[in-house]
Amino acid sequence: MFKRFYKSLFFSRRWYWLWVVVIFLFVLSYGIAFLFVPAQLLALFLVVTTMLDYMVLFTRKAPVLVRRELSERFSNGDPNPVKLLVTNQYPFRISFRILDELPDQFQRRDFRLDGECKPGESCTLPYELRPTQRGEYLFHDINVFIKSPFGLLVRRKILPLEKMVKVLPSYFPLRQYELLALSNNLAESGNKKIRKRGQSLEFEQIKEYVAGDDIRSLNWKATARKGGQLMVNNFTDERSQQVYCVIDKGRVMKMPFEGMSLLDYAINATLILSRVALIKQDKAGLVTFADQIGTFLPAGRKAMQMSNILEILYNQQTKFLETDYEKLHALVRTRITQRSLIVLFTNFESLSGLKRQLPSIRGIAKNHLLLVVFFENTGLQQVRESGVSDLEGLYIKTIAEKFAYEKRLIVKELNQHGIPTILTAPENLTVQTVNKYLEIKARLAI
């Protein structure tokens, strides 16, 4: 009983400062006698008020009601809204402080929310959380510290509101990219018109000729049946093409950027690209690999394809061994028999590292359209743009320039072998990748 009482009762700063004033008056009364009586009266008033404050705070068993409102799942790397709904059960106005015990992954021990509530009313305290790791996040108890209008005592109420939330790959931007994909153009891509290479051969319908139609598509048999009314064949962009996202899970993808690993950025981009491909009536597939082949999901357009992709991406983790591109080449050669667009998310820090894997990469590009996506080192970019004040700083800046130059050499080397590449900062990965896919679709390059 005493332990429970001790854990729920605290004294406010106002209470301590008032006792400091009382003690100070008692000390002064040794030299100024008439201060002794006011000091006694103030001490008596403080004791009585403290007892009254205790009575009004602890008379109710359930002083406040708190409900935490949040989604069943969070989007990794995005701000996720959370709301605390606080209802005052007292017949008087209260001020309170809430300590919400956030999941351990956030490592936040100073999170607090302050507010006030009128009697019988409810107030809402919103906040946002940005997770940077996929997995299960456990929200713990909520601690409420309540003060009455007296403000002398603080009552602590612990509310057991544990809840488990799954953090999935970034799915918030899905709707935005769906709308942009329908227009074949993202905000960052501009309005540049892309010239198609030839004409699509996928037949759609026969329609009447109107001014502007290609006369080479005239269908003379249909024209004869229509009694002289010109009819033309109408073609549409080819569909049901295979788009595979291949994710490197090796140690090169462990590098962090703004709290998230490169693997997480690749996973988020894969989720968006797969959704855009399905909207474009293509088949989306997935491959993960490191020193061994991880997961292979055949390309498809089934209703559950996005759910399968999301479930696979949720469970991916980086490994610390060197990736084996020869095994990836063998998998592509034996399991992906139809010509496909293969988007390889990886990272190369040196030209020598690329040349070790180049034979396997060229082998994949021989039978498929391979798009290699790797990352700029944004930390080196900051070093390159910073000033130099001493000889050591000059050495560091020169080394940073060398690494940045090697990145450009990697792009040139891949382009020389006819392999398109994307070198991008992690935060621009999704936009750059989806833009490139839409450009490839427009050029009929697959």
Side-chain angles (χ1 to χ4, degrees), residues 31 46 49-50 63 72 110 138 165-166 172 178 180 226 246 285 291 297 312 407 411 426:
L46 186 55
T49 308
T50 301
E72 295 291 334
D110 58 347
L138 177 63
V165 174
K166 279 189 174 183
F172 278 174
E178 287 174 4
L180 293 172
K226 281 289 185 177
V246 180
D291 57 309
L297 177 66
I312 292 172
K407 290 279 187 177
V411 173

Side-chain angles (χ1 to χ4, degrees), residues 192-323:
K192 181 180 178 181
K193 187 176 181 180
I194 300 174
R195 182 175 62 87
K196 292 187 177 182
R197 296 179 180 176
Q199 178 178 338
S200 174
L201 298 179
E202 186 163 330
F203 176 78
E204 184 179 25
Q205 63 177 345
I206 299 176
K207 68 182 186 69
E208 293 183 359
Y209 175 84
V210 295
D213 286 340
D214 189 354
I215 61 174
R216 294 174 297 178
S217 300
L218 286 172
N219 188 321
W220 295 109
K221 292 183 178 180
T223 300
R225 287 195 297 268
K226 281 289 185 177
Q229 172 65 43
L230 292 176
M231 306 295 292
V232 295
N233 295 327
N234 189 37
F235 298 92
T236 185
D237 289 341
E238 294 184 14
R239 301 177 179 179
S240 297
Q241 296 168 318
Q242 296 188 156
V243 179
Y244 278 91
C245 294
V246 180
I247 302 177
D248 183 354
K249 299 192 299 180
R251 58 183 177 83
V252 294
M253 301 293 282
K254 189 71 174 177
M255 293 178 61
F257 178 79
E258 293 187 356
M260 294 173 56
S261 66
L262 297 183
L263 175 65
D264 284 312
Y265 283 99
I267 285 174
N268 292 345
T270 296
L271 183 66
I272 301 296
L273 180 60
S274 300
R275 181 57 182 159
V276 172
L278 292 174
I279 292 174
K280 290 295 186 182
Q281 305 298 317
D282 285 337
K283 297 178 181 179
L286 179 63
V287 180
T288 64
F289 76 107
D291 57 309
Q292 302 289 335
I293 298 298
T295 305
F296 175 74
L297 177 66
R301 283 173 49 194
K302 299 180 294 184
M304 295 296 294
Q305 190 72 357
M306 275 303 298
S307 299
N308 294 335
I309 292 174
L310 185 61
E311 187 65 27
I312 292 172
L313 294 176
Y314 171 72
N315 295 310
Q316 300 304 315
Q317 298 295 333
T318 52
K319 298 184 178 181
F320 292 95
L321 299 177
E322 187 77 16
T323 49

Side-chain angles (χ1 to χ4, degrees), residues 238 241-243 339-341 369 437 440-441 444-446:
E238 294 184 14
Q241 296 168 318
Q242 296 188 156
V243 179
R339 177 175 168 82
S340 309
L341 169 62
L369 177 57
Y437 164 73
I440 290 172
K441 286 286 292 182
L444 306 176
I446 304 179

